[in-house]
Amino acid sequence: QVQLVESGGGLVQAGGSLRLSCAASGRTFSSYTMAWFRQGPGKEREFVGAIHASGGTRYADSVKGRFTISRDYAKNTVYLQMNSLKSEDTAVYYCAADAAIAWNSVRLTQGYRYEYWGQGTQVTVSS
């Protein structure tokens, strides 16, 4: 059974940092593109960033320079390091994975194209 399990969410003050983890099980995800999405209160789900199987990354403009995605192939885990957090970063953060999504395309940012999803972890940034 394939599972993505996020962890690391919590309450943090504005300007602080958090690191989210997404642990994959049930198969090896080393060849998958892994992505992070988020959904804030009253907002639609939005793309945060993604990491290719090769290690290349892409980010939404709203988090560029503040968030960093990395992956540990041995642990089958992807991380989202979030620095300089703002109140507008408050959201449920989701990990997603897909083996065939187009990297250099708007499709990368379209959540419905991803095959696997985690259950989400809440991040709350207090101002």
Side-chain angles (χ1 to χ4, degrees):
Q1 181 181 359
V2 174
Q3 275 193 315
L4 300 178
V5 179
E6 301 96 335
S7 61
L11 175 65
V12 63
Q13 288 188 335
S17 298
L18 276 177
R19 189 178 81 155
L20 305 184
S21 299
C22 171
S25 61
R27 68 172 59 204
T28 300
F29 281 82
S30 58
S31 61
Y32 280 60
T33 290
M34 307 293 292
W36 288 94
F37 288 80
R38 67 185 181 186
Q39 187 165 18
K43 298 180 181 179
E44 294 186 353
R45 183 177 62 192
E46 65 174 349
F47 174 79
V48 174
I51 185 164
H52 191 266
S54 65
T57 54
R58 283 183 57 186
Y59 300 94
D61 287 344
S62 59
V63 306
K64 203 171 293 183
R66 300 188 299 122
F67 290 11
T68 303
I69 298 174
S70 60
R71 66 194 302 170
D72 185 326
Y73 295 95
K75 294 183 178 179
N76 224 17
T77 299
V78 175
Y79 304 98
L80 178 64
Q81 177 68 43
M82 304 185 294
N83 299 328
S84 302
L85 283 162
K86 306 175 181 179
S87 57
E88 51 262 45
D89 294 318
T90 294
V92 178
Y93 283 72
Y94 299 91
C95 173
D98 195 89
I101 199 159
W103 183 252
N104 293 312
S105 167
V106 68
R107 297 176 184 180
L108 186 72
T109 68
Q110 296 170 335
Y112 68 89
R113 298 187 181 274
Y114 287 77
E115 181 175 8
Y116 300 108
W117 285 85
Q119 83 291 346
T121 185
Q122 175 71 46
V123 171
T124 302
V125 183
S126 63
S127 56

